[in-house]
Amino acid sequence: MAWSPSEMTLGDQATLFKELAMRLVTFILRRALHSIFVLLGLSVVIFGISRILPGDPARMAVGARAPQWVVDNLRAQMHLDEPLFVQYGYWLADAVQGKFGISLVTRREVAEDIKEFFPATLELALFAGILMGGFGILLGTISAQHKDRWIDNVVRVLSYLGVVTPAFVFAIIFMLVFGYWLKWLPTIGRLSEGLTRPPVITGLMTVDALLAGDLVVFWDALKHLILPAVALAMGGLAQEARITRATMSDNLTKDYIAAERALGIPERVIMGKYLLKPSLIPTVSILGLDFAGTLSSAFLVELIFNWPGISRYGINAMLRKDLNAIAAVILVLGVVFIVVNIIVDIVVAYLDPRIRLSAERSE
Amino acid sequence: MVRMDTPPLLEVRDLQVHFKVFGGHLKVLDGVNMIVRAGEKVGLVGESGCGKTTTMKAILRILPQPPAKIVGGQVLFRGQDVLRMRPDELRQIRGRGISMIFQDPTAALNPVFTIGQQLGDVIRYSHRNGRLDARQIQLKALQSLKEVALADPERLLHSYPIQLSGGMRQRVCIAMALATQPELLIADEPGTSLDVTIQDQILRLLHNLVVERNTSIILITHTLGVVREVTDRVYVMYAGSIVESAPTKTLFANPMFPYTRGLMQSVPRLSGGGVAEGIPGRIPNYLHPPSGCRFHPRCPHVMEICRREKPPMFTVGEEHYVACYLYAC
Ligand SMILES: Nc1ncnc2c1ncn2[C@@H]1O[C@H](COP(=O)(O)OP(=O)(O)O)[C@@H](O)[C@H]1O
Ligand code: SF4
Ligand SMILES: [Mg+2]
């Protein structure tokens, strides 16, 4: 048989790489297209709610004491006298451009508010997400590899506590212990007084500080981030540890692990490669959910640490029936959920060829 | 044929394995004894659930623990006890010393890595002198896929197990087990999951490969014709221990343990993998196994002593041993 593996394979690998890149692009485009419909659906719901709620938006915007002609003018300006679907058209056109109107609470453009508050929460959530993924997987792995031994039992009890304890309880405990008692870490806001904010590039204080090369601010921002982020991460971290432990200890009894051992593959390679990859699939899916959930459920933690985030902003908007702000917050969170879902799908497809291959077959 | 005075390559002594399950311990292996000499082709037969796979996994120390627990015994490979080896010593044995083809090739391949990644690592870590670079590994991988008569090996290297047919997966598993160039190959029912023609091809291929390399083999199979054709010696297992062993010709000419006799008399059927169709009854419950001879509830010749005490091995002929009181003298 004649064969020339080197040339064949090099060529193969180049094509393979191009193919993979193409597939990834198609995949993202397809998902993005799909997401547009989801967002449209979401926008209809938001618009619907804002129109179904009792009260005249124009009257609410100008206040109870404004004369009727002002309200009438505003109604015309807001297209409130036209048919509903026309109103929706105007509303959507504005929303797409980021024009959500004025917030009743802050008396500013809602878009301005979002620009200010969203990155603060995103920074918190990203940091919490890294902790959830990193430590969750680490603890779960340790637990699975020492199944039913003392260290596993410790991790299991702790992760159970982590799952059942709400984030605000951790927040209060951390604040008291590390903030007031030990005085290790700051407990209020994103930056100490007296420090100037680095120029806003990403809106993430730590990243902006690094980009500006200001290590003092970076360090200070990081210290402010730790307590609220850890408090937020605890539940997800525990959840990730539990899932990783369960999947991994199940996979440890699989024949392919026995086969890899039987064929002389070293234990560290089996653990770090052949066991880890298939065991991460469920964890990654849940991690995505936990991360996205963090953004919207950070309310109490933001309140406790006086963190100027979007969760707090959103809840305040709801309490005061600030419709423009509510619409914007829901849309932003919707976009985040969709983006996170796409990322999770890409990672899972990378980890699990079965999903990848069946998705391609069904195209 | 291997001379009987060759020192044993593998010797299993009184191996006992339990499984912890809800409600107690399954006392599965009840003192297994086996010897395999260098170059010897050994058959291991017995009905499903009698503990063949468990014995083989215990030899390589790859039983999932928990639930399995090796309660007692020794596994001597070239005189050294595998069960008491340090991890680094164990690694010298696994793969290069003993390798294994698993019963279910689909379960034995990692679903999220390509064939090339898995076979490549097997080759990399079982290589004896020095390190191989990526290209050498690839060449060897292609070579081993060719040896098991797989077409288009370049493409296979980039394929995932689900993209392969059952027969191809089985061949890949054989390629991997042989890529380590083992001294002893354990083949656990190769091809059982496949249809008869493909099974036949695979067994033939395997036979040629081990004969070519003079590899010792423990072949587990339900097909007595294959045992007769391929092996030098046969072990018959029943409910967790070896009940009879003899040179293949002797065993087929003169089976002695009542279970073996039933086995030989039963007409091989096309359907079903069970070999014990000739004997009524089922394999015993391992939670509360029968006392004495574990075969006694099914034995047509059962005696008083059989219920009380486990029969030792009696020598009944040249290299022919039976664990049955009928042959006590
Ligand atoms: N992972 C396991 N957990 C519990 N019991 C098991 C496990 N593996 C095997 N066993 C028990 O060991 C017995 C023998 O199994 P096995 O060695 O696979 O038999 P064979 O290979 O001869 O068909 C089975 O009947 C089952 O009760
Ligand atoms: S020892 Fe007794 S019960 Fe067991 S096979 Fe022999 S005769 Fe039957
Ligand atoms: Mg078996």
Side-chain angles (χ1 to χ4, degrees):
Chain A
M1 225 189 285
W3 46 287
S4 52
S6 51
E7 291 89 330
M8 273 293 299
T9 330
L10 279 181
D12 267 6
Q13 270 162 4
T15 356
L16 203 75
F17 184 75
K18 244 187 265 167
E19 243 180 75
L20 277 178
M22 275 306 297
R23 279 193 226 155
L24 188 66
V25 171
T26 341
F27 178 80
I28 294 177
L29 282 181
R30 219 158 23 104
R31 285 301 310 259
L33 201 69
H34 182 229
S35 313
I36 288 177
F37 288 102
V38 176
L39 278 177
L40 275 179
L42 189 63
S43 72
V44 171
V45 173
I46 296 168
F47 175 78
I49 292 173
S50 71
R51 291 301 181 269
I52 288 167
L53 281 183
D56 178 350
R59 170 56 78 187
M60 279 171 35
V62 292
R65 266 169 300 171
Q68 187 58 37
W69 63 268
V70 177
V71 176
D72 289 341
N73 273 357
L74 192 60
R75 280 188 68 84
Q77 215 182 327
M78 288 168 81
H79 312 287
L80 289 176
D81 298 320
E82 308 202 33
L84 262 188
F85 67 92
V86 178
Q87 290 184 34
Y88 172 71
Y90 281 115
W91 182 86
L92 188 65
D94 282 349
V96 166
Q97 300 168 54
K99 288 193 216 149
F100 292 95
I102 305 285
S103 158
L104 296 179
V105 179
T106 61
R107 297 279 156 199
R108 291 197 305 182
E109 281 285 337
V110 169
E112 286 300 308
D113 287 348
I114 299 281
K115 248 187 243 162
E116 180 178 337
F117 297 125
F118 175 66
T121 300
L122 184 66
E123 185 172 35
L124 207 53
L126 281 175
F127 198 69
I130 293 170
L131 294 174
M132 289 193 268
F135 286 95
I137 290 166
L138 186 71
L139 285 179
T141 306
I142 291 172
S143 214
Q145 287 177 4
H146 298 85
K147 197 177 174 201
D148 296 333
R149 304 233 278 280
W150 69 267
I151 191 160
D152 175 35
N153 292 330
V154 170
V155 172
R156 279 164 74 188
V157 170
L158 287 183
S159 58
Y160 182 73
L161 286 178
V163 169
V164 298
T165 312
F168 76 86
V169 175
F170 284 117
I172 292 170
I173 295 173
F174 290 168
M175 168 173 255
L176 292 177
V177 174
F178 300 105
Y180 293 127
W181 185 39
L182 295 171
K183 296 198 188 339
W184 286 353
L185 290 163
T187 56
I188 286 179
R190 299 175 77 186
L191 209 58
S192 297
E193 256 173 75
L195 288 177
T196 30
R197 244 197 110 133
V200 178
I201 300 170
T202 59
L204 312 179
M205 197 79 80
T206 47
V207 177
D208 286 348
L210 276 185
L211 289 177
D214 192 339
L215 288 181
V216 178
V217 171
F218 169 75
W219 184 236
D220 188 71
L222 189 65
K223 282 201 292 196
H224 278 79
L225 201 50
I226 290 175
L227 290 184
V230 175
L232 264 183
M234 290 304 277
L237 193 157
Q239 182 81 358
E240 266 56 272
R242 285 158 64 88
I243 293 169
T244 308
R245 176 192 182 272
T247 323
M248 228 179 227
S249 56
D250 182 40
N251 284 344
L252 263 174
T253 68
K254 292 270 165 74
D255 256 4
Y256 57 77
I257 296 296
E260 281 148 8
R261 285 183 174 145
L263 295 173
I265 295 180
E267 202 62 14
R268 72 187 148 79
V269 179
I270 294 179
M271 292 303 145
K273 179 173 173 182
Y274 289 108
L275 177 64
L276 189 64
K277 193 175 171 195
S279 304
L280 284 184
I281 295 164
T283 310
V284 167
S285 309
I286 303 296
L287 177 62
L289 284 181
D290 282 341
F291 168 78
T294 303
L295 279 168
S296 49
S297 63
F299 170 61
L300 284 172
V301 174
E302 289 181 355
L303 204 64
I304 291 168
F305 289 100
N306 200 16
W307 194 265
I310 199 168
S311 225
R312 215 176 60 168
Y313 177 73
I315 298 280
N316 274 334
M318 283 188 212
L319 291 177
R320 310 224 194 144
K321 294 210 172 68
D322 185 352
L323 286 177
N324 294 340
I326 293 174
V329 169
I330 294 180
L331 267 184
V332 167
L333 291 182
V335 171
V336 170
F337 265 84
I338 286 168
V339 170
V340 168
N341 261 318
I342 293 180
I343 293 174
V344 164
D345 283 353
I346 291 173
V347 175
V348 168
Y350 159 74
L351 291 173
D352 194 345
R354 290 164 293 186
I355 290 174
R356 193 156 75 228
L357 293 166
S358 69
E360 273 157 26
R361 231 175 289 133
S362 68
E363 251 170 47
Chain B
M1 195 72 186
V2 175
R3 290 169 52 104
M4 284 305 152
D5 52 7
T6 331
L9 180 63
L10 176 78
E11 187 173 359
V12 179
R13 287 190 188 156
D14 197 31
L15 185 63
Q16 288 159 280
V17 172
H18 293 182
F19 287 98
K20 191 174 190 294
V21 290
F22 184 75
H25 294 264
L26 301 176
K27 297 159 202 78
V28 174
L29 295 193
D30 180 35
V32 173
N33 290 287
M34 279 181 92
I35 286 181
V36 181
R37 297 188 170 81
E40 201 176 16
K41 318 281 183 262
V42 166
L44 176 60
V45 298
E47 67 197 316
S48 287
C50 72
K52 305 180 296 293
T53 302
T54 303
T55 309
M56 297 303 119
K57 287 186 175 173
I59 289 172
L60 278 159
R61 259 171 74 182
I62 52 173
L63 282 169
Q65 289 174 295
K69 188 163 171 29
I70 298 179
V71 180
Q74 290 177 302
V75 172
L76 305 174
F77 187 75
R78 283 200 241 92
Q80 280 186 296
D81 191 354
V82 176
L83 301 184
R84 277 157 198 82
M85 278 182 184
R86 294 192 312 267
D88 57 316
E89 297 171 309
L90 190 59
R91 255 208 65 212
Q92 301 300 311
I93 302 298
R94 288 172 171 171
R96 304 175 202 184
I98 310 172
S99 80
M100 178 161 168
I101 299 165
F102 282 63
Q103 191 165 347
D104 177 359
T106 305
L109 291 170
N110 195 315
V112 304
F113 289 92
T114 61
I115 303 302
Q117 288 169 311
Q118 302 185 51
L119 181 56
D121 271 351
V122 170
I123 290 168
R124 170 179 294 120
Y125 294 111
S126 62
H127 188 64
R128 284 162 169 86
N129 334 296
R131 287 176 69 90
L132 295 170
D133 64 34
R135 214 180 95 75
Q136 290 169 309
I137 289 174
Q138 196 178 28
L139 283 174
K140 281 178 183 287
L142 289 168
Q143 184 61 41
S144 28
L145 291 176
K146 276 174 205 299
E147 277 170 4
V148 293
L150 278 164
D152 205 357
E154 285 89 358
R155 195 187 160 76
L156 269 181
L157 288 185
H158 297 296
S159 303
Y160 289 94
I162 43 159
Q163 295 171 289
L164 274 51
S165 71
M168 290 162 88
R169 284 179 212 157
Q170 180 69 76
R171 282 169 200 267
V172 168
C173 287
I174 295 176
M176 285 204 213
L178 287 173
T180 64
Q181 311 206 334
E183 291 169 75
L184 171 64
L185 176 70
I186 295 170
D188 192 355
E189 303 191 24
T192 301
S193 54
L194 308 169
D195 75 58
V196 187
T197 21
I198 300 180
Q199 184 178 350
D200 202 55
Q201 285 171 9
I202 288 198
L203 281 165
R204 237 162 261 288
L205 172 83
L206 185 62
H207 183 50
N208 292 338
L209 287 171
V210 293
V211 168
E212 219 167 77
R213 297 154 186 243
N214 197 28
T215 310
S216 307
I217 184 171
I218 301 177
L219 177 66
I220 302 178
T221 175
H222 289 305
T223 321
L224 292 180
V226 173
V227 174
R228 189 170 207 160
E229 208 175 312
V230 172
T231 63
D232 305 325
R233 216 148 46 79
V234 183
Y235 285 95
V236 182
M237 195 164 185
Y238 182 82
S241 41
I242 301 295
V243 291
E244 181 163 11
S245 88
T248 307
K249 281 205 190 80
T250 316
L251 190 85
F252 276 86
N254 188 18
M256 293 193 136
F257 192 88
Y259 170 76
T260 322
R261 297 168 82 126
L263 200 75
M264 298 295 172
Q265 281 157 15
S266 65
V267 190
R269 292 183 199 165
L270 282 178
S271 63
V275 288
E277 278 111 346
I279 308 150
R282 285 192 48 80
I283 202 138
N285 172 351
Y286 287 115
L287 211 49
H288 307 287
S291 56
C293 174
R294 282 189 174 182
F295 189 57
H296 86 245
R298 290 168 76 181
C299 182
H301 312 288
V302 58
M303 297 170 283
E304 186 47 40
I305 186 169
C306 306
R307 298 199 175 88
R308 272 199 331 260
E309 267 169 73
K310 184 178 168 164
M313 275 285 181
F314 298 104
T315 309
V316 291
E318 201 180 336
E319 292 291 316
H320 192 171
Y321 308 96
V322 187
C324 170
Y325 287 117
L326 287 176
Y327 306 97
C329 29

